[in-house]
Amino acid sequence: GAGVSQSPSNKVTEKGKDVELRCDPISGHTALYWYRQSLGQGLEFLIYFQGNSAPDKSGLPSDRFSAERTGGSVSTLTIQRTQQEDSAVYLCASSFGGVLAKNIQYFGAGTRLSVL
Amino acid sequence: DQQVKQNSPSLSVQEGRISILNCDYTNSMFDYFLWYKKYPAEGPTFLISISSIKDKNEDGRFTVFLNKSAKHLSLHIVPSQPGDSAVYFCAASSPTSGTYKYIFGTGTRLKVLA
């Protein structure tokens, strides 16, 4: 597609349920990122995938959070046993890879997660 | 610990005047800085960037200034237009944390009044 696509755009769930958020990056982009934006906060880095390298998971807030990237393209962010503090907008971005290049990250519109 | 700070949550400017958005940082290892613009219900879009080897970068109506000694950068929009009304985020990265790992500020909401 032309841009980064995220689904669903909105998700309402009950506390304790698991949720899956999906990200389709821009075709040809080898790097993929997940961020979280809580109310009144900046974008918080969660996880980074680059090609076949081991992902950088240093931003994941707890072991309830996990992410996969299948076939070097689509990524799924899974939150298990959701808590109310998980309510936020989850943003995915992609870019051309390369550690040294100052690659611009292109963002999707995000998934707004509400945990009741 | 907020390494990138945008201390003004909002700013209102008259159309045609200059908008100045400010950003301060604490990590002296940051060597690359970016500004993103975000409209409601959309993802942030890249606006302009600057490397630490420069002190100014200009792109049309947008200019970013970097003052490394003060650990301060600013975005100037001249002239401001109503379509510039959005939330503006500054971001920074460093070689030590990974050039891909952007640290974002909390954003400044700019409102350009017609």
Side-chain angles (χ1 to χ4, degrees), chain A residues 2-14:
Chain A
V4 177
S5 177
Q6 291 188 246
S7 60
S9 55
N10 283 284
K11 176 71 177 178
V12 180
T13 190
E14 293 178 350

Side-chain angles (χ1 to χ4, degrees), chain A residues 33 35 37 40-43 45 48 56 58 91 98-105 107-109, chain B residues 2 31-32 34 36 38 41-44 46 49 89 93 97 99-106:
Chain A
Y33 319 74
Y35 291 85
Q37 185 181 16
Q41 303 297 312
L43 280 69
F45 169 83
Y48 162 74
D56 177 350
S58 60
L91 291 156
V99 174
L100 299 180
K102 301 298 187 184
N103 291 304
I104 303 304
Q105 298 179 21
F107 285 83
Chain B
Q2 194 74 24
D31 68 344
Y32 190 62
L34 310 93
Y36 276 80
K38 185 180 184 302
E42 295 183 12
F46 170 74
S49 64
F89 292 96
S93 70
S97 64
T99 56
Y100 53 83
K101 195 179 292 183
Y102 294 172
I103 309 297
F104 282 85
T106 53

Side-chain angles (χ1 to χ4, degrees), chain B residues 55-67:
Chain B
D55 54 18
K56 176 183 174 181
N57 189 26
E58 192 172 351
D59 183 2
R61 297 185 297 112
F62 302 91
T63 303
V64 56
F65 295 92
L66 176 63
N67 183 333

Side-chain angles (χ1 to χ4, degrees), chain A residues 30 33 81 95:
Chain A
T30 59
Y33 319 74
R81 305 181 303 282
S95 73

Side-chain angles (χ1 to χ4, degrees), chain A residues 51-82:
Chain A
N52 295 322
S53 303
D56 177 350
K57 304 179 182 180
S58 60
L60 294 179
S62 78
D63 59 8
R64 295 186 296 103
F65 288 72
S66 63
E68 289 185 340
R69 190 177 184 194
T70 54
S73 180
V74 172
S75 177
T76 302
L77 177 70
T78 301
I79 308 173
Q80 295 179 309
R81 305 181 303 282
T82 52

